[in-house]
Short mmCIF file of all heavy atoms in Angstrom, two decimals:
data_model
loop_
_atom_site.label_atom_id
_atom_site.label_comp_id
_atom_site.label_asym_id
_atom_site.label_seq_id
_atom_site.Cartn_x
_atom_site.Cartn_y
_atom_site.Cartn_z
N ASP H 159 -32.60 16.02 7.76
CA ASP H 159 -33.91 16.49 8.21
C ASP H 159 -34.38 15.76 9.45
O ASP H 159 -35.56 15.46 9.62
CB ASP H 159 -34.95 16.31 7.10
CG ASP H 159 -35.03 14.87 6.62
OD1 ASP H 159 -34.25 14.03 7.14
OD2 ASP H 159 -35.86 14.58 5.74
N GLY H 160 -33.40 15.46 10.30
CA GLY H 160 -33.75 14.76 11.54
C GLY H 160 -33.49 13.27 11.47
O GLY H 160 -33.72 12.55 12.44
N ALA H 161 -32.98 12.80 10.31
CA ALA H 161 -32.72 11.38 10.17
C ALA H 161 -31.28 11.02 10.51
O ALA H 161 -30.84 9.93 10.25
CB ALA H 161 -33.03 10.94 8.73
N ASP H 162 -30.54 11.95 11.10
CA ASP H 162 -29.15 11.70 11.44
C ASP H 162 -29.05 10.65 12.53
O ASP H 162 -30.00 10.41 13.27
CB ASP H 162 -28.47 12.98 11.91
CG ASP H 162 -28.44 14.02 10.82
OD1 ASP H 162 -28.96 13.76 9.72
OD2 ASP H 162 -27.93 15.11 11.10
N ASP H 163 -27.88 10.04 12.64
CA ASP H 163 -27.68 9.08 13.71
C ASP H 163 -27.39 9.80 15.02
O ASP H 163 -27.37 11.02 15.09
CB ASP H 163 -26.55 8.11 13.36
CG ASP H 163 -25.21 8.81 13.17
OD1 ASP H 163 -25.09 9.98 13.61
OD2 ASP H 163 -24.31 8.20 12.59
N GLU H 164 -27.17 9.03 16.10
CA GLU H 164 -26.97 9.61 17.43
C GLU H 164 -25.74 10.48 17.49
O GLU H 164 -25.65 11.38 18.32
CB GLU H 164 -26.88 8.48 18.46
CG GLU H 164 -28.19 7.69 18.62
CD GLU H 164 -28.05 6.59 19.65
OE1 GLU H 164 -26.93 6.42 20.17
OE2 GLU H 164 -29.05 5.91 19.93
N ALA H 165 -24.77 10.23 16.62
CA ALA H 165 -23.54 11.02 16.63
C ALA H 165 -23.71 12.33 15.87
O ALA H 165 -22.78 13.12 15.78
CB ALA H 165 -22.39 10.22 16.03
N GLY H 166 -24.89 12.54 15.31
CA GLY H 166 -25.11 13.78 14.57
C GLY H 166 -24.59 13.76 13.16
O GLY H 166 -24.43 14.80 12.53
N LEU H 167 -24.32 12.55 12.61
CA LEU H 167 -23.79 12.43 11.27
C LEU H 167 -24.88 11.99 10.31
O LEU H 167 -25.78 11.23 10.68
CB LEU H 167 -22.65 11.40 11.25
CG LEU H 167 -21.44 11.71 12.13
CD1 LEU H 167 -20.47 10.54 12.11
CD2 LEU H 167 -20.76 12.99 11.69
N PRO H 168 -24.83 12.45 9.06
CA PRO H 168 -25.82 12.00 8.08
C PRO H 168 -25.70 10.50 7.84
O PRO H 168 -24.61 9.94 7.90
CB PRO H 168 -25.48 12.81 6.83
CG PRO H 168 -24.05 13.19 7.01
CD PRO H 168 -23.86 13.40 8.49
N GLU H 169 -26.80 9.86 7.54
CA GLU H 169 -26.82 8.42 7.37
C GLU H 169 -26.46 8.03 5.94
O GLU H 169 -27.08 8.50 4.98
CB GLU H 169 -28.21 7.88 7.72
CG GLU H 169 -28.32 6.37 7.59
CD GLU H 169 -29.72 5.86 7.88
OE1 GLU H 169 -30.57 6.70 8.23
OE2 GLU H 169 -29.94 4.65 7.76
N LEU H 170 -25.46 7.15 5.81
CA LEU H 170 -25.06 6.66 4.50
C LEU H 170 -26.14 5.73 3.97
O LEU H 170 -26.56 4.80 4.66
CB LEU H 170 -23.73 5.91 4.61
CG LEU H 170 -23.23 5.20 3.36
CD1 LEU H 170 -22.95 6.20 2.27
CD2 LEU H 170 -21.98 4.39 3.69
N CYS H 171 -26.60 5.97 2.76
CA CYS H 171 -27.70 5.15 2.24
C CYS H 171 -27.38 4.44 0.93
O CYS H 171 -28.04 3.44 0.61
CB CYS H 171 -28.96 6.00 2.07
SG CYS H 171 -28.79 7.37 0.90
N ALA H 172 -26.41 4.91 0.16
CA ALA H 172 -26.17 4.28 -1.13
C ALA H 172 -24.76 4.59 -1.65
O ALA H 172 -24.14 5.58 -1.25
CB ALA H 172 -27.20 4.72 -2.16
N LEU H 173 -24.31 3.73 -2.53
CA LEU H 173 -23.05 3.93 -3.25
C LEU H 173 -23.35 3.79 -4.73
O LEU H 173 -23.80 2.74 -5.20
CB LEU H 173 -22.00 2.90 -2.82
CG LEU H 173 -20.65 2.95 -3.54
CD1 LEU H 173 -19.98 4.30 -3.34
CD2 LEU H 173 -19.75 1.83 -3.04
#
Side-chain angles (χ1 to χ4, degrees):
D159 56 359
D162 297 0
D163 61 17
E164 294 180 356
L167 299 175
E169 181 182 357
L170 174 64
C171 61
L173 177 60

